[in-house]
Amino acid sequence: MSLQGRVTQEFERRFGGPPTFVVRAPGRVNLIGEHTDYNDGFVLPMAIDRAIWIAMRPRGDQRVVGHSLDFEQPVEFSVEEVEQVSVSEATPAWGEYLRGVAWALQEAGHTLQGWEGVVASDVPIGASLSSSAALEMATARVFAVTSGLQWDATSMARIGQRAENEWVGVNCGIMDQMISAAGKADHALLIDCRSLEAQPVPLPPGTAVVVLDTATRRGLVDSAYNERRRECATAARHFGVAALRDVSVEQIETGSSGLAAVGRRRARHVVTENDRTRQAAEAMCAGDAVKMGQLMNASHASLRDDFEVSSEALDAMVECARQVDSCYGARMTGAGFGGCAVALIRATDAESFAINVADSYQAATSIRPEVHACRAAGGATLLSAAADRPF
Ligand code: GLA
């Protein structure tokens, strides 16, 4: 049964009646433009056909009553008294994302109405496919319908980011929430993380995007991530600019004296990655899969050598993918240190590619990975539960 069917059925069993709406918010894979969003730079992610689903019904009061099919923890709170329950834990309880979004929406001046709902997801957790952003955007979509708020993808992405930064305590940029809110079917989005303008970019004809899960998860990603953010901020200060977005490759070459070698490498990654990302959007629009693949390969090298956020497993996966003829290019995706890589391949060879890479990665690392082609999906949607179609 589909996840949509499961949340609907479970809703009826628990709440004694059909849900009014079903909400879907996708995870994402970033094709290129990594660790650039918090430097006001460019990213090129696509929403994927893996998502969080919530079957829900508005309540007449301010309470939120949630049940997750993936976790055995129920969530119940009143939006009038949102309190942090487990923010100090390494992995926050799923309910903190609901509370955090309720808090951020109210901080933005919205008055909220309660709801009851059943949640399920097929976005793997900790795999760098943005399960948290998907849950935040699904929650925002639910509150928008129960509370009569206009759904504006960009403002809602900012709300989700604020919940993640200030409630959950992860200092992420805006990419994941933006793509989960604003994704477009069959397209990636070139997002300017300064203006938040987003331009749909079609996938090159005859190609497929494959997600390659190394099946490794690394702890302490958040502290390494925050360290990178600090290093980038220090480098921006060195160049006297608001963000590394404003630095050119020439400035890195000529103006780096006085900047520590590590800061120079971090800055070089961000500046060259912004260039690659804009070139990648052009290559995709021109249907140039070969060029796109080369840019993805160069992005991986820069993340590995200059930004130092890859891992042995990610490097091994990328190598295995590139050895297959039908692969145009491959790189790590997301924050790094574990989780997934992404490859652009010839669509007709998707099945043999998956088998081939899974076998060679297992032979190299003794770990069985998960490899699957994915479609570019639309962003967070509200479906009328009765009609099964966008509302
Ligand atoms: C995580 C963050 C994003 C972005 C990426 C790295 O996914 O949530 O904001 O910084 O890492 O590109």
Side-chain angles (χ1 to χ4, degrees):
M1 190 192 285
S2 68
L3 276 188
Q4 181 176 3
R6 284 182 60 211
V7 289
T8 303
Q9 195 177 62
E10 184 64 19
F11 183 96
E12 285 177 12
R13 208 182 64 75
R14 291 192 162 256
F15 296 105
T20 320
F21 299 105
V22 177
V23 157
R24 177 198 133 272
R28 65 101 185 94
V29 62
N30 189 20
L31 300 182
I32 195 164
E34 216 65 85
H35 289 276
T36 45
D37 62 349
Y38 54 83
N39 291 296
D40 278 4
F42 295 87
V43 293
L44 190 55
M46 78 182 210
I48 57 174
D49 46 356
R50 292 199 167 210
I52 305 258
W53 292 84
I54 306 181
M56 52 78 57
R57 179 167 74 190
R59 288 172 60 101
D61 59 16
Q62 273 70 44
R63 295 199 75 70
V64 171
V65 180
H67 175 79
S68 160
L69 296 184
D70 307 311
F71 303 100
E72 281 316 310
Q73 281 162 317
V75 166
E76 184 162 357
F77 63 94
S78 167
V79 296
E80 291 164 318
E81 297 162 16
V82 243
E83 280 169 24
Q84 278 166 327
V85 174
S86 62
V87 94
S88 58
E89 289 176 17
T91 308
W94 71 280
E96 290 312 309
Y97 295 92
L98 274 58
R99 286 189 181 86
V101 169
W103 169 80
L105 281 166
Q106 294 183 109
E107 286 287 301
H110 299 299
T111 304
L112 300 184
Q113 284 296 318
W115 50 276
E116 47 211 11
V118 171
V119 183
S121 167
D122 59 2
V123 188
I125 292 173
S128 43
L129 299 178
S130 294
S131 58
S132 319
L135 182 52
E136 287 152 9
M137 290 302 94
T139 305
R141 205 60 165 117
V142 169
F143 274 120
V145 66
T146 61
S147 313
L149 316 179
Q150 208 197 336
W151 178 260
D152 172 64
T154 305
S155 342
M156 289 299 175
R158 284 192 202 275
I159 296 280
Q161 186 195 15
R162 181 153 188 213
E164 180 101 26
N165 291 168
E166 294 180 42
W167 191 273
V168 180
V170 176
N171 207 11
C172 65
I174 191 74
M175 167 168 72
D176 306 344
Q177 289 79 8
M178 266 300 280
I179 189 66
S180 182
K184 186 163 152 50
D186 302 324
H187 291 72
L189 285 189
L190 175 68
I191 303 170
D192 177 335
C193 296
R194 176 165 276 168
S195 67
L196 294 191
E197 263 170 60
Q199 180 197 325
V201 179
L203 291 176
T207 63
V209 170
V210 181
V211 168
L212 308 127
D213 190 339
T214 60
T216 60
R217 307 284 183 260
R218 210 187 104 167
L220 299 177
V221 176
D222 294 348
S223 58
Y225 184 89
N226 288 340
E227 188 186 8
R228 295 299 181 282
R229 284 198 70 146
R230 277 195 301 276
E231 289 165 345
C232 290
T234 306
R237 267 198 305 279
H238 167 86
F239 288 106
V241 293
L244 287 178
R245 145 73 168 271
D246 303 311
V247 175
S248 66
V249 180
E250 296 71 47
Q251 275 174 286
I252 305 257
E253 297 305 325
T254 57
S256 289
S257 64
L259 183 62
V262 71
R264 180 171 182 271
R265 287 205 307 279
R266 303 297 188 247
R268 186 168 58 189
H269 164 72
V270 173
V271 171
T272 57
E273 184 79 350
N274 276 334
D275 268 3
R276 282 187 289 271
T277 305
R278 277 177 292 194
Q279 285 184 50
E282 275 171 29
M284 280 174 62
C285 289
D288 191 343
V290 171
K291 174 82 181 166
M292 177 65 190
Q294 287 164 352
L295 291 162
M296 290 170 80
N297 291 344
S299 167
H300 185 80
S302 178
L303 287 157
R304 183 191 57 210
D305 303 336
D306 276 353
F307 217 66
E308 296 176 282
V309 290
S310 189
S311 69
E312 265 177 45
L314 282 165
D315 292 345
M317 183 64 95
V318 162
E319 266 317 302
C320 292
R322 286 182 194 160
Q323 270 158 25
V324 184
D325 271 355
S326 52
C327 180
Y328 293 107
R331 56 181 288 277
M332 55 154 278
T333 189
F337 306 106
C340 291
V342 59
L344 185 73
I345 67 159
R346 224 173 13 242
T348 45
D349 298 336
E351 223 169 284
S352 60
F353 174 85
I355 296 169
N356 211 324
V357 175
D359 287 348
S360 56
Y361 176 82
Q362 186 172 10
T365 60
S366 308
I367 307 169
R368 188 74 191 162
E370 238 207 76
V371 181
H372 51 89
C374 52
R375 267 190 327 105
T381 352
L382 177 69
L383 302 151
S384 145
D388 235 9
R389 57 183 156 71
F391 187 71

